[in-house]
Amino acid sequence: MNPLELRRVVETALGEDLGLAGDLTTAAVVAADATTVGRVVAREPGRVAGTDVLGAVFGLLDPRVEVMVDVADGEDVVAGQVVARVVGPTRPILTGERVALNLLGRMCGIATATAQVVAAVAGTDTVIADTRKTTPGLRALEKHAVRMGGGRNHRFGLDAAVMVKDNHVVAAGGIRQAVEAVRERVGHTVTIEVEVDTLAQLEELLEVGADIVLLDNMDPATLAEAVAMVDGRMVTEASGGVTSDTVRTVADAGVDVISLGWLTHSAPALDVALDLG
């Protein structure tokens, strides 16, 4: 993760939690010179992602806090396993606990969901990708988590590539008009992806050409027919309505990529906790 982006996220989260008066409870209960050892523990099995968050949170509160990672990003844990240890002054450790666990648990949950889907398509040539359906302000962290789960990242933002969606097609007056307008405006190094909903739209797109075709909400049989029509002339991406139960069937249709918005917008957080002593 970009350390500047990580710091921005952590500063925002800590600012939100501390407010104007700071951690009233810890300041009242814990002696200023108290020190402790904390263990970040996974309460359930899953894939780890976001251990850098721990150092960013506690280090920002007090550089004397030391974080020792026991399980690296991209590795799996079992229930009860220690992910990392946090050593140093007690006050900043308790103050940063919730922010650190919120971010770590969120990222581990996304990585775990991604790893499960990646495993489901093992043996095919299909890769799993995320989308821009991310939590505002957390995109860099959530996309890192997808990578740690074995998936790949789609666009990071609107400026990363051209993606002509159905509403763009309507606004432009058709697929050909939309693609031609793009080619007049953007440079030759910019990738162009176009969404189609039907095989008739795909036929129209094949006439004008693009780098990637997004096959939206097609059933497996239609996807297989679409892949045959493309015949390697474009990267084929399936999206829309694909679940963990259907992802293998979609992959077996022969698409190059399956993009899943729910990896980042609906994956449950992994249960992680901080135990002192």
Side-chain angles (χ1 to χ4, degrees), residues 119-143:
V121 301
T124 72
D125 293 326
T126 304
V127 300
I128 299 299
D130 54 27
T131 71
R132 284 171 43 247
K133 295 179 181 178
T134 53
T135 307
L138 298 183
R139 180 168 294 172
L141 276 65
E142 292 178 346
K143 283 183 172 285

Side-chain angles (χ1 to χ4, degrees), residues 154-207:
H154 211 290
R155 292 187 299 171
F156 266 79
L158 295 172
D159 61 344
V162 167
M163 187 168 182
V164 179
K165 303 278 285 182
D166 52 358
N167 283 334
H168 295 114
V169 171
V170 171
I175 288 177
R176 175 177 292 277
Q177 293 91 323
V179 173
E180 289 178 348
V182 164
R183 286 184 173 144
E184 289 178 4
R185 180 67 181 268
V186 303
H188 68 284
T189 63
V190 178
T191 299
I192 301 174
E193 180 169 11
V194 180
E195 176 186 282
V196 300
D197 302 317
T198 66
L199 295 180
Q201 286 184 324
L202 175 58
E203 188 68 45
E204 183 180 357
L205 177 61
L206 288 171
E207 293 176 0

